[in-house]
Amino acid sequence: MTYFAPVITNTGMSIPSYVDIRDQLIADAQTIFGSDIYLEPNTQDYQWIATVATKLYDSFLTAQAVYNSRGPATAIGPGLDVIVGVNGIKRKAGTASTATVTLIGTPNTTITNGIVGDVNGNNWSITSPTTISSTGTVTALATCQTVGPITAGPGEINRIVTPTLGWTGVTNPVTRP
């Protein structure tokens, strides 16, 4: 894509990417100083352009966030708090995602206050207490300790955070948001 000025259309506010901003600044410098100016990442001039491009992109992102904070459908965080307050409604409290997990281990092992982890570093609390059946497995409900729509694909909840003697593994067979 090429650089364009931020614009508001019927689909919202569009801003150029960091790369588009940086490339436009490079082109502007070549127009001013000549096309033979050396502007590779190992030069001070390029580093300065990259720094300015970052500042511009950050400013555009801020403008976009402010624009999006005008309505409840696109507002987030404190902006959403203001919008719902102005409209006389209350924001719903966040909820934690849940997932069905299979715990593996020695039959009749009881797991109390067990915590499992996923590949993204999220921790999930399992129903307590949970006892592994005579087959060496048990299905349990895991509740993410981070509020919000946390997704774990099949097999991504695979780490025991709180080891218990006799509990040897964990997995989630299906994706759960």
mmCIF file of all heavy atoms in Angstrom, residues 25-43:
data_model
loop_
_atom_site.group_PDB
_atom_site.id
_atom_site.type_symbol
_atom_site.label_atom_id
_atom_site.label_comp_id
_atom_site.label_asym_id
_atom_site.label_seq_id
_atom_site.Cartn_x
_atom_site.Cartn_y
_atom_site.Cartn_z
ATOM 1 N N LEU A 25 8.246 8.942 4.199
ATOM 2 C CA LEU A 25 9.286 9.842 4.717
ATOM 3 C C LEU A 25 10.611 9.632 3.981
ATOM 4 O O LEU A 25 11.344 10.590 3.717
ATOM 5 C CB LEU A 25 9.464 9.639 6.223
ATOM 6 C CG LEU A 25 8.312 10.148 7.098
ATOM 7 C CD1 LEU A 25 8.516 9.721 8.552
ATOM 8 C CD2 LEU A 25 8.160 11.653 6.992
ATOM 9 N N ILE A 26 10.916 8.397 3.651
ATOM 10 C CA ILE A 26 12.128 8.114 2.864
ATOM 11 C C ILE A 26 12.018 8.763 1.486
ATOM 12 O O ILE A 26 12.951 9.409 1.006
ATOM 13 C CB ILE A 26 12.379 6.595 2.763
ATOM 14 C CG1 ILE A 26 12.826 6.048 4.122
ATOM 15 C CG2 ILE A 26 13.422 6.280 1.690
ATOM 16 C CD1 ILE A 26 12.891 4.532 4.199
ATOM 17 N N ALA A 27 10.851 8.598 0.843
ATOM 18 C CA ALA A 27 10.647 9.201 -0.477
ATOM 19 C C ALA A 27 10.744 10.730 -0.394
ATOM 20 O O ALA A 27 11.325 11.377 -1.280
ATOM 21 C CB ALA A 27 9.290 8.775 -1.042
ATOM 22 N N ASP A 28 10.180 11.311 0.673
ATOM 23 C CA ASP A 28 10.268 12.767 0.859
ATOM 24 C C ASP A 28 11.720 13.202 1.014
ATOM 25 O O ASP A 28 12.142 14.216 0.451
ATOM 26 C CB ASP A 28 9.448 13.208 2.071
ATOM 27 C CG ASP A 28 7.945 13.051 1.866
ATOM 28 O OD1 ASP A 28 7.512 12.863 0.699
ATOM 29 O OD2 ASP A 28 7.207 13.099 2.867
ATOM 30 N N ALA A 29 12.505 12.465 1.800
ATOM 31 C CA ALA A 29 13.923 12.799 1.990
ATOM 32 C C ALA A 29 14.672 12.710 0.664
ATOM 33 O O ALA A 29 15.528 13.557 0.367
ATOM 34 C CB ALA A 29 14.552 11.867 3.023
ATOM 35 N N GLN A 30 14.355 11.697 -0.144
ATOM 36 C CA GLN A 30 15.016 11.560 -1.452
ATOM 37 C C GLN A 30 14.628 12.705 -2.384
ATOM 38 O O GLN A 30 15.447 13.153 -3.184
ATOM 39 C CB GLN A 30 14.671 10.207 -2.072
ATOM 40 C CG GLN A 30 15.339 9.059 -1.355
ATOM 41 C CD GLN A 30 14.845 7.696 -1.818
ATOM 42 O OE1 GLN A 30 13.717 7.535 -2.289
ATOM 43 N NE2 GLN A 30 15.704 6.691 -1.677
ATOM 44 N N THR A 31 13.405 13.203 -2.265
ATOM 45 C CA THR A 31 12.985 14.347 -3.066
ATOM 46 C C THR A 31 13.749 15.604 -2.650
ATOM 47 O O THR A 31 14.179 16.394 -3.493
ATOM 48 C CB THR A 31 11.468 14.590 -2.913
ATOM 49 O OG1 THR A 31 10.771 13.431 -3.367
ATOM 50 C CG2 THR A 31 11.006 15.807 -3.702
ATOM 51 N N ILE A 32 13.950 15.764 -1.371
ATOM 52 C CA ILE A 32 14.638 16.952 -0.853
ATOM 53 C C ILE A 32 16.143 16.881 -1.090
ATOM 54 O O ILE A 32 16.761 17.835 -1.571
ATOM 55 C CB ILE A 32 14.345 17.124 0.656
ATOM 56 C CG1 ILE A 32 12.864 17.425 0.871
ATOM 57 C CG2 ILE A 32 15.218 18.227 1.264
ATOM 58 C CD1 ILE A 32 12.408 17.310 2.312
ATOM 59 N N PHE A 33 16.763 15.750 -0.759
ATOM 60 C CA PHE A 33 18.223 15.644 -0.776
ATOM 61 C C PHE A 33 18.787 14.945 -2.009
ATOM 62 O O PHE A 33 19.989 14.831 -2.158
ATOM 63 C CB PHE A 33 18.703 14.910 0.476
ATOM 64 C CG PHE A 33 18.310 15.601 1.749
ATOM 65 C CD1 PHE A 33 17.361 15.041 2.590
ATOM 66 C CD2 PHE A 33 18.862 16.828 2.101
ATOM 67 C CE1 PHE A 33 16.989 15.672 3.765
ATOM 68 C CE2 PHE A 33 18.497 17.468 3.272
ATOM 69 C CZ PHE A 33 17.546 16.895 4.113
ATOM 70 N N GLY A 34 17.915 14.439 -2.873
ATOM 71 C CA GLY A 34 18.359 13.742 -4.071
ATOM 72 C C GLY A 34 18.149 12.237 -3.941
ATOM 73 O O GLY A 34 18.252 11.673 -2.861
ATOM 74 N N SER A 35 17.879 11.622 -5.068
ATOM 75 C CA SER A 35 17.574 10.189 -5.054
ATOM 76 C C SER A 35 18.788 9.325 -4.736
ATOM 77 O O SER A 35 18.651 8.141 -4.455
ATOM 78 C CB SER A 35 16.980 9.764 -6.404
ATOM 79 O OG SER A 35 17.912 10.033 -7.436
ATOM 80 N N ASP A 36 19.974 9.921 -4.757
ATOM 81 C CA ASP A 36 21.179 9.142 -4.470
ATOM 82 C C ASP A 36 21.552 9.148 -2.984
ATOM 83 O O ASP A 36 22.567 8.573 -2.600
ATOM 84 C CB ASP A 36 22.362 9.654 -5.297
ATOM 85 C CG ASP A 36 22.691 11.116 -4.996
ATOM 86 O OD1 ASP A 36 21.814 11.832 -4.469
ATOM 87 O OD2 ASP A 36 23.825 11.517 -5.302
ATOM 88 N N ILE A 37 20.707 9.766 -2.130
ATOM 89 C CA ILE A 37 20.987 9.750 -0.698
ATOM 90 C C ILE A 37 20.911 8.306 -0.197
ATOM 91 O O ILE A 37 20.024 7.549 -0.572
ATOM 92 C CB ILE A 37 20.024 10.662 0.085
ATOM 93 C CG1 ILE A 37 20.423 10.733 1.564
ATOM 94 C CG2 ILE A 37 18.595 10.221 -0.062
ATOM 95 C CD1 ILE A 37 19.641 11.747 2.376
ATOM 96 N N TYR A 38 21.864 7.937 0.634
ATOM 97 C CA TYR A 38 21.933 6.565 1.152
ATOM 98 C C TYR A 38 21.074 6.484 2.409
ATOM 99 O O TYR A 38 21.385 7.065 3.439
ATOM 100 C CB TYR A 38 23.387 6.192 1.456
ATOM 101 C CG TYR A 38 23.559 4.778 1.933
ATOM 102 C CD1 TYR A 38 23.391 3.708 1.063
ATOM 103 C CD2 TYR A 38 23.905 4.502 3.253
ATOM 104 C CE1 TYR A 38 23.551 2.398 1.502
ATOM 105 C CE2 TYR A 38 24.067 3.202 3.696
ATOM 106 C CZ TYR A 38 23.885 2.153 2.813
ATOM 107 O OH TYR A 38 24.036 0.858 3.247
ATOM 108 N N LEU A 39 19.955 5.747 2.322
ATOM 109 C CA LEU A 39 19.005 5.624 3.432
ATOM 110 C C LEU A 39 18.714 4.155 3.725
ATOM 111 O O LEU A 39 17.602 3.673 3.543
ATOM 112 C CB LEU A 39 17.704 6.362 3.104
ATOM 113 C CG LEU A 39 17.785 7.870 3.035
ATOM 114 C CD1 LEU A 39 16.469 8.470 2.568
ATOM 115 C CD2 LEU A 39 18.174 8.444 4.388
ATOM 116 N N GLU A 40 19.703 3.458 4.197
ATOM 117 C CA GLU A 40 19.527 2.060 4.605
ATOM 118 C C GLU A 40 19.456 2.000 6.125
ATOM 119 O O GLU A 40 19.868 2.935 6.809
ATOM 120 C CB GLU A 40 20.677 1.207 4.070
ATOM 121 C CG GLU A 40 20.681 1.069 2.551
ATOM 122 C CD GLU A 40 19.419 0.440 2.002
ATOM 123 O OE1 GLU A 40 18.908 -0.530 2.591
ATOM 124 O OE2 GLU A 40 18.914 0.935 0.967
ATOM 125 N N PRO A 41 18.932 0.898 6.692
ATOM 126 C CA PRO A 41 18.762 0.805 8.147
ATOM 127 C C PRO A 41 20.018 1.063 8.976
ATOM 128 O O PRO A 41 19.920 1.413 10.151
ATOM 129 C CB PRO A 41 18.268 -0.633 8.345
ATOM 130 C CG PRO A 41 17.548 -0.943 7.074
ATOM 131 C CD PRO A 41 18.349 -0.255 6.008
ATOM 132 N N ASN A 42 21.196 0.938 8.403
ATOM 133 C CA ASN A 42 22.423 1.156 9.177
ATOM 134 C C ASN A 42 22.875 2.618 9.189
ATOM 135 O O ASN A 42 23.943 2.918 9.692
ATOM 136 C CB ASN A 42 23.547 0.266 8.643
ATOM 137 C CG ASN A 42 23.933 0.599 7.220
ATOM 138 O OD1 ASN A 42 23.144 1.161 6.469
ATOM 139 N ND2 ASN A 42 25.148 0.245 6.833
ATOM 140 N N THR A 43 22.053 3.544 8.658
ATOM 141 C CA THR A 43 22.451 4.955 8.637
ATOM 142 C C THR A 43 21.694 5.749 9.701
ATOM 143 O O THR A 43 20.583 5.399 10.100
ATOM 144 C CB THR A 43 22.171 5.604 7.266
ATOM 145 O OG1 THR A 43 20.748 5.619 7.044
ATOM 146 C CG2 THR A 43 22.873 4.854 6.149
#
